[in-house]
């Protein structure tokens, strides 16, 4: 179990890959991407990496898959919404964090 003080840094697992020739033949994620914690055999949303045939990208962070990051998002088609709710999401389509405005007494 994670302690409250430690922030998680998530890597990426994806359904596909492509090679960027401009960055020295670096493997990058393509298709649907999921957040993944290093050392685990499943994504944040609970998919098994091997059974789902997802490819691990330990050198690519979750924030690099956002289109506005300019990182590894060139061929990302979809981010898993369940992973995004845990790992964080940004951009114009992101919903604000849930907040109770009038709690019950």
């Amino acid at each position: 179990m994670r302690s409250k003080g430690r922030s998680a840094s998530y890597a990426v697992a994806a359904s596909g890959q492509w090679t960027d020739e401009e960055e020295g033949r670096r493997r990058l994620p393509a298709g649907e991407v999921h957040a993944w914690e290093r050392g685990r055999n499943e994504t944040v949303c609970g998919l098994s990496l091997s059974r789902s045939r997802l490819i691990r990208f330990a050198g690519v962070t979750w924030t690099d898959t956002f289109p506005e990051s300019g990182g590894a998002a060139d061929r990302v088609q979809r981010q898993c919404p369940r992973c995004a709710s845990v790992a964080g999401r940004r951009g114009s389509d992101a919903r604000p964090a849930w907040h109770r405005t009038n709690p019950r007494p």
Side-chain angles (χ1 to χ4, degrees), residues 60-71:
V60 178
T61 63
W62 175 252
T63 54
D64 285 340
T65 63
F66 293 102
E68 63 272 7
S69 72

Side-chain angles (χ1 to χ4, degrees), residues 14-79:
S15 60
Q17 70 178 351
W18 67 286
T19 305
D20 187 6
E21 300 294 333
E22 294 177 3
E23 289 192 29
R25 299 188 50 84
R26 182 178 172 207
R27 284 184 334 117
L28 294 172
E32 183 172 346
V33 293
H34 295 267
W36 164 67
E37 287 184 272
R38 289 173 192 89
R40 309 263 335 236
N41 289 326
E42 65 182 12
T43 63
V44 174
C45 67
L47 291 177
S48 169
L49 292 173
S50 61
R51 289 184 185 211
S52 301
R53 296 185 180 180
L54 295 173
I55 304 164
R56 297 174 180 103
F57 295 90
V60 178
T61 63
W62 175 252
T63 54
D64 285 340
T65 63
F66 293 102
E68 63 272 7
S69 72
D74 290 344
R75 303 222 179 137
V76 171
Q77 296 173 351
R78 180 177 185 263
Q79 289 180 323

